[in-house]
Amino acid sequence: MTTNTQPNAAATEAAVRTGPGPLTAVRRQRGTRQGGTRQWGTTALALVFLAVMLFPVYWMINASLQPNGTTLQTSWLPLAPDFTGYATAISQQGRNLGTSLVVALGSVVFSLAIAAPAAYALAYFKVRGAGVVLFAILISQMIPGIVVANALYTAYNDLGLLNSIPGLILADSSHGIPFAILIVRAFMNNMPASVIEAAKVDGAGHLRAFWSIVLPLSRNALITAGLFTFLFTWSDFLFALTLTTTDDVRPVTLGIFQYMGAYVNDWSSVMATAVLASIPAIILLIAAQKYVAAGTTGGAVK
Amino acid sequence: MSATVQSRLHLPVPETKNDAGLRRSGYRRRERVYQWLFLAPAVAYLVLFFGFPVVKNVAMSFQDYTTGTFYTGEAPWVGFSNYVTVLSSSLFSTSLINTALFTAGSIAGQFVLGLGLAVFFKRKFPLNGILRSLLLLPWLLPLIVSSAVWRWILDKDSGALNNFLESFGIISTGIPWLTSTSLALAAVVGVNIWIGIPFNVTVLYGGLQDIPDELYEAASLDGATGWRAFRHVTWPMLRPVVSVVLVLGVVYTLKVLDIILGLTNGGPANSTQTIATQSYALSFQNFKFGEGAAMGNILVLISLVFAVLYLRVNRRAVDE
């Protein structure tokens, strides 16, 4: 239920479904063998495209390293890096970064605790309501965040959940739970049923089969779902904006938003905060590569 | 929805007289309870955090729900008066037109550039995989970070874009990208295109990879290469994926809020106000929650049209 074109459950399903077929690997291997000048020329062109696409990211880092107050002319290169922006950012937004971290970690734990059993049920049991649940998950992606926020604000007000970390964890998990269910279910669908049947033959009940066989085998999918849930919650702005009204609990996204209003003349601090807020995305870009691509059952079934 | 699942899970099991049958039905019942327990927390969450808000929002849209409501607990029913107020406001047509322009512009730009890059990355060249994954970065950054960075780049006096254009003598004075009523919407669309390109590249690239090489080989024997191969092989084969990308893109773009609030806050003079930002402003800035809910429901209705379209397209894609 992100308010944008961010990685999203339905999109992921589409991507999973349309993902590279078995031929791709073979094709790719054939391709890398024949490197030539022409191919490096294509690489150069790709680098140009990438430079244009990533320029704003470079500019964010560059601007964060400029001395405060030089708003008139930012130099194109941070030749004399100045860390005043970071000092200001940490002293003023450090607490908000901490809040975001706590909320995001809480949301990962909560989302996985809800999503993993559901994914297991949807992948293995012939539950007759399964289709309804999957349909509901897809539809839930289409509900505008502002509609949820509008109704949650009134409910949270009655329940005393405004300006609270549990309140934010619960609301922010609406980004992660549908996504996590879909991605873990897709993974479990590819896991041979014989693994669980073998566990059952050994006398394990559902709970034990789930806990000691299915969960460990789904490690990679759970890590992937967890990483993305972290990122969704960390990036959340709408619930931070609508479900908090005081300084007590303020995620960093809201901190940046309010910074922009009050400190527009001090862009190096805003950009330093933006860089700090981008760290999870950058880590995910490196880490998720491994987990998304990682094989499924490995050597579990011989 | 929970009711449906529950009733389906607790279908009466036919009673049998022999022992084996009894044991069997007992086992089945226990099995069903187990299965239900695995699914129940997720179903409960979906009901509370998606089902309830939608229903509550519908109720609120027919109530005079204001800040006073939080103290008195009273929200009198007012029929369609919230809808009448919202729809007859001069801001509504502005928001509707802006929403249409924002969505159409964003989708067109993201799709064309995304498809171009996806086709480009289909070529074999060194570092392809690494470069393609780095391209994902704009997609993964928090939207409010992206809008902060772009606000700085698009700044009239000291933004990088104007500095760049000035240093090449293309312009002599800074262009007020985000502060001019005639440019702000275009600038916001441009930023949203930047954000959406990685999603389009990823899904379209996946679709391209699924087109068998044999088809291109056969086409090239018939003399179709380059543009003609794209026209007669790539495009028809990619159509199902294209439909999914476009419809999902529309549904996601309709509800965009972060980027617009971060870049312009709906301004200047409402020139970037959309239905989503208007719904936010009504509820959380004017504290007219009933009107905000009505505006939100109009957005849901519009999304619903595309959601139905998505499901039909999706089914067709699966059938094919």
Side-chain angles (χ1 to χ4, degrees), chain A residues 2-7 11 18-19 21 24 27 43 53 71 125 128 136 141-142 150 157 170 174 206 238, chain B residues 1 11 31 35 45 57 70 124 126 133 139 143 149 158 194 199 206 209-210 213 252 255-258 283 307:
Chain A
T2 41
T3 50
N4 50 65
T5 49
Q6 278 214 340
T18 56
T24 321
R27 253 182 268 153
T43 306
M53 279 298 285
T71 50
F125 303 151
R128 264 183 272 185
Q141 301 300 296
M142 291 162 185
N150 203 36
N157 190 59
L170 283 170
S174 64
H206 273 306
L238 182 64
Chain B
M1 182 201 58
L11 281 178
E31 184 73 13
Q35 297 180 350
Y45 184 87
N57 223 56
F70 297 121
K124 297 168 188 93
S133 63
W139 191 16
L143 289 169
V149 174
S158 34
W194 177 77
F199 166 77
Q209 290 297 324
D210 275 357
D213 273 353
Y252 295 151
K255 51 184 194 175
V256 164
L257 199 76
D258 312 33
S283 285

Side-chain angles (χ1 to χ4, degrees), chain B residues 165-289:
Chain B
L165 295 175
E166 277 165 19
S167 67
F168 281 86
I170 299 169
I171 56 166
S172 52
T173 49
I175 297 173
W177 297 108
L178 293 171
T179 44
S180 137
T181 48
S182 51
L183 284 176
L185 187 63
V188 172
V189 166
V191 174
N192 197 41
I193 289 175
W194 177 77
I195 290 168
I197 285 176
F199 166 77
N200 282 263
V201 174
T202 305
V203 181
L204 292 171
Y205 179 83
L208 287 176
Q209 290 297 324
D210 275 357
I211 303 174
D213 273 353
E214 292 73 32
L215 285 182
Y216 289 105
E217 282 155 21
S220 75
L221 288 180
D222 292 340
T225 53
W227 168 251
R228 288 183 60 201
F230 179 83
R231 171 79 187 72
H232 295 287
V233 181
T234 313
W235 186 252
M237 291 297 288
L238 201 61
R239 275 256 313 269
V241 180
V242 168
S243 317
V244 170
V245 168
L246 289 180
V247 179
L248 276 182
V250 169
V251 171
Y252 295 151
T253 310
L254 280 174
K255 51 184 194 175
V256 164
L257 199 76
D258 312 33
I259 305 157
I260 299 177
L261 290 183
L263 284 171
T264 62
N265 222 334
N270 293 316
S271 59
T272 53
Q273 202 76 256
T274 62
I275 296 186
T277 62
Q278 190 55 28
S279 172
Y280 164 75
L282 285 170
S283 285
F284 292 96
Q285 285 173 340
N286 304 351
F287 301 109
K288 292 174 179 163
F289 288 91

Side-chain angles (χ1 to χ4, degrees), chain A:
Chain A
M1 202 225 38
T2 41
T3 50
N4 50 65
T5 49
Q6 278 214 340
N8 221 315
T12 312
E13 261 238 319
V16 166
R17 216 177 314 115
T18 56
L23 275 173
T24 321
V26 181
R27 253 182 268 153
R28 243 184 237 140
Q29 250 179 359
R30 219 191 295 153
T32 48
R33 285 252 147 208
Q34 3 163 302
T37 354
R38 223 184 115 222
Q39 289 187 331
W40 279 104
T42 315
T43 306
L45 192 58
L47 279 169
V48 172
F49 290 149
L50 198 69
V52 173
M53 279 298 285
L54 295 190
F55 172 76
V57 180
Y58 166 72
W59 199 245
M60 167 175 75
I61 296 166
N62 178 39
S64 75
L65 294 168
Q66 304 289 334
N68 274 356
T70 54
T71 50
L72 279 179
Q73 196 72 49
T74 312
S75 64
W76 294 93
L77 293 165
L79 292 176
D82 182 305
F83 292 90
T84 327
Y86 284 89
T88 318
I90 288 170
S91 73
Q92 293 181 352
Q93 301 276 1
R95 210 185 126 178
N96 299 341
L97 285 162
T99 302
S100 283
L101 188 65
V102 170
V103 172
L105 289 175
S107 174
V108 168
V109 172
F110 181 72
S111 297
L112 290 183
I114 297 260
Y120 174 67
L122 291 174
Y124 289 111
F125 303 151
K126 289 177 189 71
V127 183
R128 264 183 272 185
V132 179
V133 175
L134 280 176
F135 182 74
I137 291 170
L138 283 177
I139 286 294
S140 75
Q141 301 300 296
M142 291 162 185
I143 300 169
I146 187 63
V147 166
V148 178
N150 203 36
L152 279 189
Y153 180 83
T154 62
Y156 271 30
N157 190 59
D158 295 341
L159 297 168
L161 281 171
L162 290 177
N163 300 310
S164 77
I165 286 185
L168 278 180
I169 290 177
L170 283 170
D172 284 349
S173 296
S174 64
H175 301 304
I177 286 178
F179 174 83
I181 292 177
L182 291 182
I183 203 161
V184 177
R185 174 185 162 267
F187 184 92
M188 287 178 175
N189 268 342
N190 286 332
M191 213 152 72
S194 56
V195 174
I196 289 117
E197 273 149 29
K200 289 272 184 57
V201 170
D202 292 344
H206 273 306
L207 211 56
R208 257 194 61 203
F210 172 68
W211 184 255
S212 47
I213 309 276
V214 175
L215 279 190
L217 282 175
S218 312
R219 204 175 133 255
N220 286 342
L222 292 171
I223 291 176
T224 306
L227 286 171
F228 275 98
T229 301
F230 184 94
L231 193 69
F232 292 158
T233 305
W234 177 271
S235 309
D236 167 75
F237 172 63
L238 182 64
F239 291 129
L241 180 67
T242 52
L243 301 180
T244 67
T245 52
T246 63
D247 292 350
D248 299 342
V249 176
R250 171 164 298 169
V252 71
T253 47
L254 188 58
I256 293 176
F257 182 64
Q258 286 170 339
Y259 231 3
M260 281 197 285
Y263 280 85
V264 183
N265 288 323
D266 184 10
W267 278 102
S268 64
S269 306
V270 179
M271 290 300 110
T273 315
V275 170
L276 294 175
S278 306
I279 290 173
I282 293 164
I283 293 176
L284 183 95
L285 193 65
I286 299 156
Q289 287 299 314
K290 179 183 161 198
Y291 285 107
V292 171
T296 53
T297 49
V301 180
K302 285 192 182 151

